[in-house]
């Protein structure tokens, strides 16, 4: 399992095969996914850019840290958003042209042969997540390899469903975040597979209507020098679902996790403006 982390070609093949084997047995996208106000698509970014300068790089998950100008400020997340019907419909057709990400996907032919409508919805949602990634962090959409889709994940707090699309960033290492993104955070896959990096995030919420209440969430602690971040919520669930599917990894049970403290108020739900 871990030996694949040293071989990018083997790792990409393992991920793509695992995602396809999971997705081909499921109906991932409802009929109205392109029109649903609750549906969004996010781009699960992987790349080989976690090493220090002068050292060999290693595969990592690439995340955005949300700025104080948006809802859920300070959270780690994947780039993405809602479908822009006309624009994303056009972009979805372009993605199937020769040498572009969807056409280069090893399983695109079998996927189309299985269900043309699901193929069209996948193409549309991939177009959405790529477009949003260009806007949020100036990702080069031509410089990625599509590895496959993941099942939708509920963002319960905001009544949304996120549909992740997994891609590998081939060469790009520098990103230019827009106003929605405070910074780019790279988390080594090796570290995500370490049980000791997981904890229980005990958050104290303060709300004018509900008062003060405390709730626990499983989380991952990312530490890299002075950089210390907490991955939790729906992005945590997407990442751990990916780790379970591809590497058969499960984080330790909550009862055995150390507790870290956090606090939030109404600006978390509404943004600081």
């Amino acid at each position: 399992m871990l030996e694949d982390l040293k071989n990018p070609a083997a790792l990409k093949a393992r991920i793509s095969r695992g995602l396809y084997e999971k997705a081909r047995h499921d109906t991932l996208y409802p009929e109205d996914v392109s029109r649903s106000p609750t549906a969004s698509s996010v781009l699960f970014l992987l790349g080989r850019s976690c090493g220090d300068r002068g050292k060999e790089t290693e595969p990592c998950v690439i995340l955005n840290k949300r700025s104080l100008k948006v809802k859920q400020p300070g959270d780690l997340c994947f780039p993405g958003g809602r479908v822009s019907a006309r624009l994303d419909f056009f972009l979805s057709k372009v993605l199937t042209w020769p040498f572009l990400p969807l056409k280069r996907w090893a399983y695109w032919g079998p996927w189309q042969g299985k269900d043309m409508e699901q193929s069209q919805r996948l193409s549309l949602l991939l177009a959405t997540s790529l477009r949003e990634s260009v806007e949020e962090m100036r990702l080069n959409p031509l410089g990625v390899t599509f590895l496959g889709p993941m099942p939708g994940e509920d963002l319960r707090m905001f009544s949304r469903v996120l549909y992740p699309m997994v891609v590998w960033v081939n060469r790009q290492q520098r990103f230019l975040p827009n106003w929605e993104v405070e910074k780019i955070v790279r988390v080594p896959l090796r570290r995500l597979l370490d049980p000791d990096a997981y904890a229980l995030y005990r958050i104290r919420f303060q709300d004018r209507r509900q008062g003060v209440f405390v709730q626990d969430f499983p989380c991952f602690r990312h530490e890299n020098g002075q950089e210390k971040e907490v991955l939790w919520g729906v992005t945590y669930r997407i990442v751990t679902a990916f780790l379970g599917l591809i590497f058969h990894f499960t984080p330790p049970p909550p009862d055995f996790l150390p507790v870290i403290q956090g606090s939030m108020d109404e600006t978390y739900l509404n943004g600081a403006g």
Side-chain angles (χ1 to χ4, degrees), residues 17 19-28 111 114 149:
R17 181 173 61 253
L19 294 176
Y20 175 72
E21 288 299 323
K22 169 64 176 173
R24 74 188 184 95
H25 296 297
D26 300 333
T27 300
L28 295 182
W111 186 278
K114 174 179 177 291

Side-chain angles (χ1 to χ4, degrees), residues 81-130:
R82 291 191 176 100
V83 174
S84 174
R86 292 185 179 179
L87 178 57
D88 292 338
F89 177 79
F90 169 75
L91 294 175
S92 71
K93 301 302 180 185
V94 174
L95 287 177
T96 63
W97 292 358
F99 309 112
L100 292 182
L102 200 50
K103 188 67 173 181
R104 297 200 311 265
W105 184 35
Y107 300 101
W108 180 236
W111 186 278
Q112 284 185 300
K114 174 179 177 291
D115 191 325
M116 184 58 69
E117 291 185 352
Q118 284 288 304
S119 299
Q120 292 170 348
R121 294 166 196 163
L122 183 151
S123 180
L124 182 72
L125 291 168
L126 178 59
T128 297
S129 61
L130 285 169

Side-chain angles (χ1 to χ4, degrees), residues 222-241:
H222 169 65
E223 297 184 8
N224 181 21
Q226 297 298 314
E227 185 177 65
K228 295 184 178 181
E229 305 290 348
V230 177
L231 174 64
W232 70 291
V234 68
T235 307
Y236 170 91
R237 297 198 301 273
I238 292 171
V239 169
T240 53

